[in-house]
Amino acid sequence: VGAKATLFWAFGDGGGASSWNEYAQGRASYTPLFLDETHVASGKHMEAIVESVEDYELLSMLRDEVRRAREAGRQGKDLDRSEEILSSSASRVLGAPGAKDLRWKGDKDRSVADQVRLDALRALEKIRD
């Protein structure tokens, strides 16, 4: 979709109390981390952010490799397939069932993102010099 960055509201706003006891929080927690007075621990939300960064990097690597191959005059079905993956990956993931439901507990088909990741990785392996 052309994004160049991802931003989050707050990494340190734990709702005014330890993330390990949400009942003690006076308001909503906005951090993807588990925080208390002395510790920071990664949570499922943070791991999802990490995966999204890795997915972006993989697609960037594929884009750059396709560009180099085309500039070198290479042709073929593997390059065509790589370009198809690049042009369709965002719409495939964002079009997956439940993707528009921002609630964590909502039903979603997360396997689409996993399949796109595998498709991109396989394509990159095939076109690398």
Side-chain angles (χ1 to χ4, degrees), residues 9-96:
W9 180 255
F11 278 97
D13 185 352
S18 169
S19 299
W20 299 102
N21 182 1
E22 290 190 357
Y23 295 112
Q25 294 173 339
R27 55 186 166 71
S29 172
Y30 295 102
T31 180
L33 304 166
F34 284 86
L35 305 172
D36 65 22
E37 295 78 20
T38 59
H39 296 89
V40 176
S42 182
K44 189 172 188 174
H45 303 74
M46 187 67 212
E47 295 305 316
I49 293 168
V50 170
E51 278 192 26
S52 73
V53 171
E54 292 169 346
D55 291 346
Y56 178 84
E57 181 62 23
L58 175 59
L59 291 169
S60 295
M61 290 167 56
L62 181 59
R63 179 200 62 214
D64 294 347
E65 196 66 32
V66 166
R67 187 190 75 247
R68 279 191 286 276
R70 292 295 190 201
E71 288 172 354
R74 289 178 47 202
Q75 302 292 323
K77 66 177 181 168
D78 290 335
L79 280 173
D80 294 342
R81 174 71 178 131
S82 295
E83 288 174 329
E84 178 186 324
I85 291 166
L86 288 168
S87 67
S88 68
S89 60
S91 61
R92 286 174 62 193
V93 172
L94 296 174

